[in-house]
Amino acid sequence: MGAVCRSRSTMVLTGKRSEKGPACWKRRVKSEYMRLRQLKRFRRADEVKSMFNTNRQKIMDRTDVLNQEWKTRRIQNILSAYQTLYVSPLRPQCTVDSGFSEFPKQVIPLKTLNAVASVPVMYSWSPLQQNFMVEDETVLHNIPYMGDEILDQDGTFIEELIKNYDGKVHGDRGERRPEALVTSSYTRACRRAGCCSRNHSSSNDSSKKFPSDKIFEAISAMFPDKGSTEELKEKYKELTEPQLPGALPPECTPNIDGPNARSVQREQSLHSFHTLFCRRCFKYDCFLHPFHATPNTYKRKNMESLVDNKPCGSDCYMHLVQAEEVKSPSKRPAAARRRGRPSSRPGSPSVSSETKDTDSDGEEGTSRSPTPVTLKLTCEPEPVDWSGAEASLFRVLIGTYYDNYCAIARLIGTKTCRQVYEFRVKESSIIARAPTEDEDEDTPPRKKRKKHRLWATHCRKIQLKKDGSSNHVYNYQPCDHPRQPCDSSCPCVTAQNFCEKFCQCSSECQNRFPGCRCKAQCNTKQCPCYLAVRECDPDLCLTCGAAEHWDSKNVSCKNCSIQRGAKKHLLLAPSDVAGWGIFIKEPVHKNEFISEYCGEIISQDEADRRGKVYDKYMCSFLFNLNNDFVVDATRKGNKIRFANHSVNPNCYAKVMMVNGDHRIGIFAKRAIQTGEELFFDYRYSQADALKYVGIERELEMA
Amino acid sequence: MSGGSCKANGAVYPASSAGMNSVKKPKMEQIQADHELFLQAFEKPTQIYRYLRTRNLIAPIFLHRTLTFMSHRNIRTNAKRKTFQVDDLLQRVQLYHHNLTISACFLTEKPSQNSENEQTSVSLEVLLVKVCHKKRKDVSCPVKQVPTGKKQVPLNPDSNQTKLAPYPSLLVSSSEFEPSNSHMVKSYSLLFRVSLAGRREIMFISSHWADVTETPSRKKRSSSHREEDGSTETYVAQMTVFDKNRRLQLLDGEYEVSMQGMEDSPVSKKRATWETILDGKRLPPFETFSQGPTLQFTLRWTGDAGAKSTAPVAKPLSTRNSDGSSPMETPVKDSLSMDIQTRRELVQCEPRQKLRIFYQFLYNNNTRQQTEARDDLHCPWCTLNCRRLYSLLKHLKLSHSRFIFNYVPHPKGARIDVSINECYDGSYVGNPQDIHSQPGFAFSRNGPVKRTAVTHILVCRPKRTKPSLSEFLESEDGELEQQRTYVSGHNRLYFHSDSCMPLRPQEMEEDSEDERDPEWLREKTATQLEEFTDVNEGEKEVMKLWNLHVMQKGFIADNQMNQASMVFVETCGPFIARRNLCRNFLLHLVSMHDFNLVSLATIDRAMARLKRTVDPAER
């Protein structure tokens, strides 16, 4: 809309353009820039307005729901109750005397409503049942308000706080604009360019496709930090080219179920799934592990496959192949499989080191393919069209099913196995050429989110450089050093962590934790897991019961409570000690698991910054997790966050390694009765490392 | 007695103790100040308990007789229950078909001495008063008076003759009690109207009353009586036969009803109190009978037996002033069965032993006052007659926890040390579910209120320790322990962790943390995936679905993944098919296989399952 208006106005100016020269352009760029900024401001205001309105509507809806609920509830009328109660000489009365004779004196019994005790202050928080990793905050989101007294007394505190964030405060207009221009307004600049170009193109037919250099020169002169004229031109090209509706960025694979599905390689089809899947949480783009290993270098533990070496039907491709085989009977299927195996399988991501076949299905039954591919066709291929989606899908499946064309055909659904076979023959040259091994070595590009993660990575690097004393516990990160054993160079070894099932090293790795073979409850030091302050791994400890009864809470292994979330029911009430407290609903035995202390996982640096504010508030939910991270239950957490500190507590905290993650379990220090308030000693962990929950607070809390 | 009434009146009036007199004069001031403090300390709780006592009289929230340690206040037995049969109900109903026979004589105070026996009889008229149900148009309840008959009854018959000669009797027909009229009858009562003819007799009676009561108002009234000379004097009394609930109130028996002059309207129900107030002055219950004119009559339901099956009316909360007396009627001989009577006698014989209770009020560990109660087991604060020392102590301990009571055995009875409970904090120590089941209304004072369902464990015949006075003895060691109002269990009001709203009892079982995937987290994972610019919409859809699935089920092990995938296809299969995401789903499975999390068999099975949801015709 704006652009259209603009073009009309420039039409008028056309004649004078040449006379004014670059100065004119500069001015025009400036005015255009101002206009765009204003437009953006308006749009932003509209956005805010509409957001406010939708929010308002949500509140109204919710209020309606609540009102309806209250109507259905039977609440006793206070009036009627008091009328009967106060038919007595005790009744205090209220009298209203107007002072005019025509109005009678009004007398009504005095009703005293019961005083409602106020509840302690609570700042809002979001419920969470598992830790949630957040990035470091580069800007101060808000200037904390701590009452006028504190601000008056200690004005320097806020200043220091802002200094911690390099003076960056969220929503600071004057500060943000130049910064925004630097970081993220290429787009805007180029839209500006586009607008200008449209102005220009309307006047000059010859350069309809591309704006003249003058515009870019003018822009470049106006905003020298945006780069040279050439750079701007490039950027403009990039932004204006994909103008098709519904077009995706070039690096994005089109939807395989959509109409625009293209025929792409296997890696491309699976790229999103591979890179976003968290092998530790089983989720895509999980909340806990910012860096996910891709599966390409994972070894196949077992080469299982379901091959029916019987033809799938009368039209099965096997009839063709078997016809071939008759001519060369020496090639037995099973033998062929064995021989065929070391040769690089087409599209296979697996590596050759696969030697043991743990699949119990037996050798003969698991025959992968009846024959090595005979690239001969006994009859003419049926002329069929392969759509992009089908072709992509074929390439994906061939890397999983190899030569089991019947299965592939079944999964593709729209093609027969014969067609698949024929397509395979046609594709063979391409597939054979694909050097999968080499490609697997370089990690595919990470999925890009709009936000940057630079800060986090930066901090991480610094943290890794930190050298700590030997009793420090470091965060576990799956190791990935292909073709190298887990020796002193392995990050797991240097961090003094065991290798986990998520590591890329072999399952025979010396640094792997073997799990336990307990038949008891795994709650004594007899259990190697318990001894190592680890919960039993359901994929390693197969005898203790940690891998059974997924749905029930009655697991024989007592050392898997955190991962199973077998928490106790907790109830919130004003504490007997300070503020809110948490109370247990049912009695628990000594050493029984009560709850996991959940919250945001933040870096130690971030905890330093946040802790400064929390210390001022005299209220901190920080809990040291390991040398790298801290759990902060201020914004997100679970009910155990309300447990108060005590020097004589009834609970204790224990940081445990739970399937590769450090997690904080709260356990009963002694038998706890129904309705008891829970306390634990905040100073847990090595050498009172928890410096953020100030020890001096103990006096005040206790 | 004196101590008790002192306390009940809200202030403790010191009785000077002998020890204090000997103290020197300069110290007297300090002692005076100390004493003032002592009074102040005891005044507040005493006032509070006085208020509560009055409130409890007006609108009781529970019956004392239901308390285990007050069970002797319950005069009703369950003996009848053993022999109870359903047919008894019929008998009770059949009572309506019985005739009521009344034979009466009229008594005034020793008339034979003075009178010349001019009159030996008065005319007694018995009316049946029917109070009907209010109809819509009616302003008040319609009342019907049905005259049942008029008889001359003897006036002040000779006591010797009384038993011999049968008095003339009146008969109220059973048909009168039948609910046949257009108006539904709420209650029936008998109105006795005695007409005395002759001036002199009236004069006598009136002046006699004036002598007794000695109140100016009474004199005035008696003089007004005189003015009405020539006419007959009328006395009335009213008794309920059937009350609102169709319960029979008048059983067979001999009754003596005190009569009142016509001006004194018979005590109507609305004004009825448990106290007998005559001319603004309280009269001890039985005095009215010895002073006023009374009507003595025998009442009999003729017809079949069975009137006895009606349970006796429960005694109201008895306090000092209303002990054992019903308003104006006293069955001379109760028709209650013998066992009840004997039981009651047993109860009452205990305080008959001259028991002395010394209340010793302590302040700053010094005795400040000693008050003696002789043969009086009323609670000094709320005048509740506890009847037994054990019950009294238990009541004091439980109902007046602002004080500390310690029992000390005494040769003449008991000594109770009373001191202020410093630990009393007003905190609620009862069942917490009672407080917040009705916010602001633990107990309704206005009829039934729907309450939240709470399961209590009721113990049938629980094993209770034998009541023993030793439990009130001051404990040697754990004195502090005893005073602590510590109740284990959920003795507090809980709140919702998200909204800080009080947790209602029916919400106790729900744990807000049972939900592994709170709504905001579900939304967060969706928006987070949506933010990716280089992931296409089909992939995003499948990823979101899968994430929600995993978050809901909370999978933790690799070896759960095969099962998880199958459950996923079961639950989300139709959605995947509808949104045309089958190939993306296949890619997801293949990717999971690449991670070594699912087997090929799972891929095959899951895809076959999906195909079936897409096209059910395919097998």
Side-chain angles (χ1 to χ4, degrees):
Chain A
M1 175 84 186
V4 174
C5 290
R6 198 67 209 158
S7 60
R8 206 183 298 137
S9 64
T10 40
M11 281 230 262
V12 186
L13 292 168
T14 332
K16 300 163 197 167
R17 180 179 55 86
S18 50
E19 301 159 17
K20 300 272 166 105
C24 153
W25 275 113
K26 210 167 173 179
R27 204 169 56 242
R28 218 196 269 185
V29 164
K30 194 171 182 178
S31 74
E32 185 68 17
Y33 171 65
M34 297 309 280
R35 194 187 61 83
L36 281 170
R37 271 193 56 201
Q38 201 170 10
L39 206 67
K40 190 166 180 180
R41 214 160 44 226
F42 285 150
R43 209 175 294 145
R44 172 110 189 106
D46 282 346
E47 239 168 63
V48 167
K49 259 185 227 162
S50 72
M51 288 303 262
F52 176 80
N53 281 331
T54 49
N55 234 355
R56 189 90 211 136
Q57 189 56 44
K58 265 186 203 161
I59 292 168
M60 303 277 262
D61 292 347
R62 184 82 194 118
T63 319
D64 280 348
V65 169
L66 282 177
N67 281 341
Q68 287 301 319
E69 201 190 314
W70 276 99
K71 265 180 206 160
T72 58
R73 257 188 229 175
R74 277 186 59 177
I75 306 286
Q76 191 182 14
N77 188 3
I78 296 168
L79 250 172
S80 63
Y82 273 83
Q83 270 160 6
T84 43
L85 171 59
Y86 282 116
V87 184
S88 79
L90 298 170
R91 169 183 54 188
Q93 287 186 331
C94 285
T95 312
V96 178
D97 200 347
S98 65
F100 297 102
S101 53
E102 59 263 40
F103 297 111
K105 197 156 82 170
Q106 294 178 19
V107 180
I108 201 158
L110 181 74
K111 290 155 211 136
T112 323
L113 293 178
N114 293 334
V116 177
S118 63
V119 293
V121 173
M122 187 192 290
Y123 295 102
S124 69
W125 53 286
S126 303
L128 200 69
Q129 296 312 315
Q130 251 193 337
N131 290 336
F132 190 109
M133 184 170 277
V134 292
E135 293 163 34
D136 287 14
E137 282 165 2
T138 50
V139 292
L140 183 61
H141 273 232
N142 65 311
I143 293 173
Y145 174 73
M146 284 169 271
D148 295 328
E149 314 83 47
I150 295 205
L151 281 184
D152 291 345
Q153 283 168 18
D154 199 0
T156 52
F157 171 68
I158 301 291
E159 280 170 33
E160 276 171 26
L161 193 68
I162 295 172
K163 215 184 279 169
N164 276 338
Y165 290 92
D166 297 334
K168 289 168 192 164
V169 180
H170 175 78
D172 194 340
R173 295 262 157 192
E175 294 270 343
R176 216 190 80 207
R177 206 170 50 77
E179 184 220 359
L181 282 171
V182 173
T183 54
S184 71
S185 69
Y186 263 128
T187 337
R188 216 197 298 168
C190 294
R191 232 197 299 148
R192 199 156 56 237
C195 268
C196 295
S197 75
R198 247 173 277 144
N199 307 341
H200 180 67
S201 63
S202 57
S203 59
N204 192 348
D205 279 352
S206 61
S207 62
K208 197 169 194 171
K209 285 289 170 203
F210 202 75
S212 77
D213 292 349
K214 277 181 189 157
I215 300 171
F216 293 109
E217 276 163 26
I219 294 170
S220 177
M222 191 74 192
F223 306 101
D225 52 330
K226 283 283 167 288
S228 68
T229 317
E230 287 308 310
E231 280 170 354
L232 283 174
K233 240 189 220 172
E234 283 304 306
K235 194 78 196 165
Y236 176 74
K237 259 188 219 161
E238 198 183 306
L239 281 169
T240 44
E241 259 162 25
Q243 290 287 320
L244 298 155
L248 290 157
E251 66 269 31
C252 179
T253 319
N255 185 0
I256 197 164
D257 278 314
N260 300 326
R262 276 192 289 130
S263 170
V264 291
Q265 287 305 308
R266 183 177 203 268
E267 285 67 39
Q268 260 176 288
S269 298
L270 286 170
H271 183 262
S272 299
F273 289 102
H274 280 170
T275 47
L276 290 182
F277 189 73
C278 175
R279 198 237 164 283
R280 298 161 73 180
C281 298
F282 312 116
K283 285 192 283 250
Y284 291 99
D285 193 36
C286 76
F287 296 130
L288 196 53
H289 308 109
F291 298 104
H292 308 135
T294 46
N296 308 50
T297 45
Y298 274 110
K299 280 192 319 294
R300 283 288 149 75
K301 272 188 232 146
N302 41 3
M303 301 305 298
E304 30 96 57
S305 78
L306 299 175
V307 169
D308 15 299
N309 26 6
K310 285 175 211 129
C312 60
S314 57
D315 294 330
C316 185
Y317 79 100
M318 282 191 204
H319 293 300
L320 303 171
V321 179
Q322 266 159 6
E324 195 82 354
E325 268 179 51
V326 169
K327 289 167 193 166
S328 52
S330 61
K331 287 185 176 178
R332 302 259 328 158
R337 178 177 154 264
R338 291 241 167 73
R339 257 191 287 127
R341 193 181 254 180
S343 67
S344 75
R345 226 168 264 110
S348 160
S350 77
V351 288
S352 52
S353 68
E354 153 241 305
T355 45
K356 62 159 186 168
D357 199 334
T358 49
D359 202 344
S360 58
D361 285 7
E363 301 290 303
E364 309 312 315
T366 57
S367 175
R368 185 156 298 275
S369 74
T371 79
V373 181
T374 10
L375 306 177
K376 248 189 238 167
L377 292 169
T378 44
C379 55
E380 281 306 298
E382 294 172 52
V384 277
D385 282 338
W386 280 71
S387 70
E390 284 165 344
S392 299
L393 208 54
F394 165 78
R395 288 186 199 106
V396 166
L397 292 170
I398 197 87
T400 307
Y401 281 84
Y402 307 108
D403 301 338
N404 190 349
Y405 304 114
C406 297
I408 293 172
R410 205 162 50 236
L411 291 175
I412 292 175
T414 48
K415 293 281 180 287
T416 66
C417 59
R418 187 185 159 161
Q419 288 163 339
V420 171
Y421 179 71
E422 283 156 3
F423 189 70
R424 162 77 182 82
V425 170
K426 209 166 69 187
E427 286 261 297
S428 60
S429 51
I430 313 157
I431 294 168
R433 247 188 284 126
T436 47
E437 293 260 343
D438 296 337
E439 265 185 9
D440 290 341
E441 290 309 309
D442 26 68
T443 42
R446 282 192 47 75
K447 287 284 162 181
K448 276 178 262 169
R449 189 166 303 154
K450 281 163 189 164
K451 254 200 265 171
H452 289 255
R453 277 204 159 123
L454 288 170
W455 181 277
T457 44
H458 170 70
C459 289
R460 191 172 310 277
K461 271 178 209 152
I462 292 169
Q463 277 153 17
L464 288 173
K465 274 180 219 154
K466 266 193 227 162
D467 47 353
S469 58
S470 58
N471 60 344
H472 283 195
V473 178
Y474 292 94
N475 201 46
Y476 163 76
Q477 192 72 42
C479 65
D480 183 9
H481 38 80
R483 284 189 287 274
Q484 271 216 300
C486 289
D487 49 21
S488 55
S489 64
C490 169
C492 293
V493 175
T494 50
Q496 288 181 314
N497 282 322
F498 289 109
C499 283
E500 301 285 338
K501 57 188 173 187
F502 314 115
C503 289
Q504 307 280 31
C505 56
S506 86
S507 53
E508 277 84 44
C509 165
Q510 287 299 304
N511 196 34
R512 286 247 175 152
F513 189 80
C516 73
R517 299 283 177 276
C518 298
K519 292 195 171 58
Q521 299 185 318
C522 301
N523 52 2
T524 62
K525 293 200 171 166
Q526 298 289 309
C527 170
C529 299
Y530 186 87
L531 188 67
V533 206
R534 295 164 56 97
E535 279 210 341
C536 285
D537 187 325
D539 293 314
L540 286 176
C541 313
L542 301 169
T543 57
C544 62
E548 289 159 40
H549 306 295
W550 297 116
D551 298 329
S552 84
K553 301 246 164 181
N554 295 323
V555 194
S556 57
C557 175
K558 298 292 171 221
N559 194 28
C560 57
S561 305
I562 298 179
Q563 54 186 306
R564 288 185 177 233
K567 61 190 170 28
K568 296 285 175 291
H569 191 162
L570 302 177
L571 295 160
L572 178 78
S575 165
D576 290 338
V577 175
W580 289 100
I582 202 77
F583 300 81
I584 197 147
K585 184 161 173 285
E586 305 113 357
V588 291
H589 301 296
K590 189 181 172 180
N591 289 331
E592 221 177 312
F593 172 70
I594 289 173
S595 182
E596 183 190 350
Y597 191 94
C598 295
E600 285 179 327
I601 292 192
I602 54 175
S603 68
Q604 292 281 2
D605 294 343
E606 176 72 11
D608 271 332
R609 282 190 293 268
R610 290 190 183 187
K612 288 208 174 78
V613 181
Y614 299 156
D615 284 351
K616 274 281 171 201
Y617 275 115
M618 303 294 279
C619 177
S620 172
F621 296 101
L622 291 171
F623 202 119
N624 231 12
L625 189 66
N626 51 38
N627 259 34
D628 303 320
F629 293 107
V630 175
V631 171
D632 181 8
T634 311
R635 305 173 190 182
K636 307 180 181 78
N638 54 357
K639 282 196 256 182
I640 196 74
R641 74 199 275 279
F642 291 108
N644 281 310
H645 166 82
S646 168
V647 283
N648 184 23
N650 51 11
C651 300
Y652 62 93
K654 192 156 82 166
V655 177
M656 296 188 83
M657 177 60 90
V658 183
N659 296 336
D661 298 311
H662 280 124
R663 293 165 80 167
I664 305 162
I666 307 290
F667 298 85
K669 200 177 182 188
R670 55 167 171 82
I672 301 175
Q673 300 288 311
T674 300
E676 265 192 73
E677 181 168 0
L678 301 183
F679 298 96
F680 60 89
D681 195 332
Y682 283 4
R683 291 174 303 170
Y684 170 81
S685 90
Q686 309 85 358
D688 294 348
L690 206 55
K691 49 184 178 278
Y692 307 110
V693 181
I695 293 152
E696 70 275 7
R697 290 210 57 207
E698 182 189 313
L699 290 168
E700 177 255 337
M701 299 286 287
Chain B
M1 184 87 187
S2 64
S5 54
C6 265
K7 307 261 35 166
N9 288 338
V12 182
Y13 301 109
S16 58
S17 64
M20 294 213 173
N21 292 343
S22 60
V23 189
K24 283 176 188 174
K25 275 201 174 177
K27 276 207 167 180
M28 272 306 277
E29 276 181 28
Q30 202 202 331
I31 287 166
Q32 205 84 54
D34 262 10
H35 197 78
E36 201 60 41
L37 285 174
F38 157 67
L39 290 183
Q40 275 173 18
F42 274 78
E43 187 180 0
K44 187 188 155 200
T46 307
Q47 295 268 25
I48 289 167
Y49 287 130
R50 181 183 167 218
Y51 168 78
L52 291 175
R53 176 247 173 201
T54 320
R55 197 179 71 170
N56 205 36
L57 283 184
I58 296 157
I61 52 171
F62 65 91
L63 297 170
H64 287 282
R65 64 163 189 254
T66 56
L67 302 170
T68 49
F69 58 92
M70 291 277 190
S71 57
H72 50 270
R73 284 181 62 98
N74 190 2
I75 52 155
R76 199 163 27 175
T77 60
N78 297 330
K80 286 267 167 57
R81 287 187 190 171
K82 280 179 188 162
T83 55
F84 175 80
Q85 285 181 330
V86 187
D87 295 349
D88 296 352
L89 289 172
L90 177 67
Q91 281 181 349
R92 219 179 294 176
V93 175
Q94 275 175 346
L95 267 185
Y96 296 115
H97 303 291
H98 294 168
N99 297 322
L100 185 65
T101 317
I102 303 157
S103 49
C105 68
F106 191 64
L107 298 173
T108 58
E109 178 81 7
K110 299 171 194 168
S112 53
Q113 288 172 1
N114 289 346
S115 77
E116 299 139 33
N117 248 357
E118 285 180 347
Q119 251 179 315
T120 54
S121 67
V122 290
S123 125
L124 167 71
E125 194 187 4
V126 180
L127 296 111
L128 187 64
V129 181
K130 299 177 179 177
V131 180
C132 302
H133 272 288
K134 202 155 70 166
K135 285 196 169 175
R136 202 181 301 158
K137 285 174 283 184
D138 299 331
V139 179
S140 59
C141 294
V143 179
K144 278 189 186 175
Q145 292 197 350
V146 183
T148 56
K150 214 170 192 179
K151 276 270 160 70
Q152 289 295 115
V153 294
L155 173 70
N156 298 326
D158 191 2
S159 56
N160 298 332
Q161 291 169 13
T162 313
K163 269 153 197 162
L164 301 169
Y167 300 127
S169 64
L170 276 158
L171 193 84
V172 183
S173 151
S174 66
S175 59
E176 294 292 349
F177 297 113
E178 278 169 12
S180 56
N181 298 323
S182 58
H183 275 285
M184 278 292 287
V185 180
K186 242 187 348 190
S187 65
Y188 296 92
S189 53
L190 287 176
L191 183 69
F192 299 96
R193 198 185 285 158
V194 174
S195 307
L196 265 175
R199 194 174 158 188
R200 281 163 66 183
E201 197 57 45
I202 310 158
M203 291 276 284
F204 164 67
I205 295 169
S206 303
S207 59
H208 178 83
W209 278 2
D211 285 340
V212 176
T213 56
E214 287 179 349
T215 55
S217 66
R218 185 63 234 173
K219 273 174 189 165
K220 213 177 181 180
R221 205 186 297 174
S222 50
S223 63
S224 72
H225 276 271
R226 227 168 285 143
E227 281 165 12
E228 288 179 43
D229 55 349
S231 63
T232 55
E233 183 69 13
T234 314
Y235 295 93
V236 288
Q238 195 170 359
M239 292 181 77
T240 305
V241 186
F242 289 102
D243 67 5
K244 275 195 288 201
N245 305 316
R246 309 276 300 166
R247 269 188 310 217
L248 180 67
Q249 301 280 32
L250 282 185
L251 302 171
D252 282 8
E254 288 171 31
Y255 291 83
E256 185 173 349
V257 184
S258 85
M259 306 291 281
Q260 283 189 296
M262 197 57 170
E263 297 90 339
D264 303 341
S265 59
V267 179
S268 73
K269 266 194 183 169
K270 275 183 190 165
R271 269 184 48 210
T273 63
W274 300 124
E275 293 171 0
T276 315
I277 299 169
L278 203 67
D279 304 325
K281 198 175 180 184
R282 242 179 241 154
L283 266 186
F286 285 97
E287 309 264 307
T288 39
F289 290 94
S290 56
Q291 284 162 20
T294 56
L295 181 77
Q296 223 175 52
F297 64 90
T298 317
L299 192 135
R300 188 138 292 128
W301 293 91
T302 48
D304 294 335
K308 282 177 186 175
S309 63
T310 320
V313 182
K315 285 267 193 299
L317 173 79
S318 65
T319 59
R320 191 183 300 276
N321 297 321
S322 59
D323 238 1
S325 72
S326 310
M328 294 293 278
E329 55 193 86
T330 328
V332 172
K333 190 181 168 192
D334 220 331
S335 63
L336 290 169
S337 48
M338 270 312 283
D339 56 327
I340 294 178
Q341 279 192 341
T342 49
R343 195 188 137 165
R344 209 198 249 170
E345 273 161 21
L346 275 175
V347 169
Q348 277 168 346
C349 76
E350 196 189 335
R352 292 284 174 264
Q353 312 152 0
K354 292 286 176 191
L355 186 71
R356 288 192 195 182
I357 300 165
F358 302 95
Y359 293 95
Q360 192 160 278
F361 296 93
L362 301 174
Y363 186 70
N364 286 343
N365 289 328
N366 289 325
T367 305
R368 292 296 164 166
Q369 179 178 325
Q370 191 163 357
T371 308
E372 185 186 336
R374 287 193 188 196
D375 193 18
D376 182 15
L377 287 163
H378 287 88
C379 166
W381 282 270
C382 59
T383 66
L384 175 78
N385 191 353
C386 299
R387 294 193 169 158
R388 284 178 191 170
L389 184 58
Y390 176 82
S391 305
L392 174 66
L393 284 164
K394 195 91 176 168
H395 164 81
L396 290 174
K397 281 242 171 199
L398 294 175
S399 304
H400 304 295
S401 46
R402 286 168 191 270
F403 297 113
I404 297 168
F405 298 96
N406 280 314
Y407 166 68
V408 184
H410 193 272
K412 285 174 184 165
R415 199 185 86 202
I416 300 171
D417 290 343
V418 188
S419 53
I420 298 287
N421 184 0
E422 302 292 347
C423 301
Y424 182 84
D425 55 358
S427 64
Y428 182 75
V429 288
N431 181 356
Q433 303 190 322
D434 285 337
I435 351 172
H436 49 103
S437 53
Q438 287 291 329
F441 276 99
F443 301 100
S444 159
R445 297 182 180 280
N446 191 29
V449 172
K450 191 177 178 186
R451 301 185 66 174
T452 41
V454 175
T455 308
H456 289 282
I457 296 169
L458 299 176
V459 184
C460 180
R461 298 184 200 285
K463 271 193 185 152
R464 289 204 173 89
T465 49
K466 274 229 160 185
S468 155
L469 287 171
S470 60
E471 69 182 85
F472 305 114
L473 294 172
E474 195 169 359
S475 58
E476 294 296 310
D477 42 331
E479 199 188 341
L480 266 170
E481 206 68 23
Q482 214 177 19
Q483 288 165 11
R484 224 171 78 181
T485 55
Y486 179 74
V487 174
S488 103
H490 301 290
N491 54 341
R492 64 188 76 236
L493 178 59
Y494 294 110
F495 290 83
H496 284 285
S497 55
D498 48 354
S499 59
C500 292
M501 293 280 281
L503 195 75
R504 289 181 293 151
Q506 68 266 41
E507 293 164 335
M508 274 288 273
E509 294 309 311
E510 299 165 21
D511 189 352
S512 61
E513 302 203 325
D514 279 342
E515 196 183 31
R516 259 179 293 224
D517 50 341
E519 196 195 345
W520 74 270
L521 217 55
R522 280 179 270 148
E523 208 168 296
K524 175 87 181 159
T525 191
T527 48
Q528 209 167 290
L529 281 170
E530 207 57 63
E531 269 177 18
F532 283 103
T533 51
D534 54 352
V535 179
N536 69 49
E537 63 280 359
E539 292 167 341
K540 280 177 183 170
E541 282 291 314
V542 170
M543 287 176 183
K544 275 187 238 171
L545 278 180
W546 173 256
N547 272 9
L548 294 179
H549 176 66
V550 172
M551 280 162 69
Q552 192 205 345
K553 297 275 162 37
F555 299 113
I556 46 169
D558 292 2
N559 56 33
Q560 278 181 297
M561 283 299 113
N562 286 320
Q563 187 59 29
S565 300
M566 290 314 291
V567 176
F568 180 55
V569 98
E570 287 291 332
T571 50
C572 300
F575 183 83
I576 290 169
R578 206 165 50 241
R579 297 292 289 268
N580 188 24
L581 296 168
C582 297
R583 284 178 186 144
N584 276 301
F585 175 65
L586 179 57
L587 289 184
H588 158 75
L589 287 176
V590 168
S591 159
M592 296 273 286
H593 179 258
D594 289 349
F595 278 101
N596 257 326
L597 293 172
V598 298
S599 63
L600 284 178
T602 305
I603 301 182
D604 288 338
R605 279 192 1 249
M607 287 311 286
R609 181 75 191 80
L610 186 62
K611 277 221 176 70
R612 248 177 293 148
T613 48
V614 177
D615 186 11
E618 206 174 295
R619 219 218 315 226

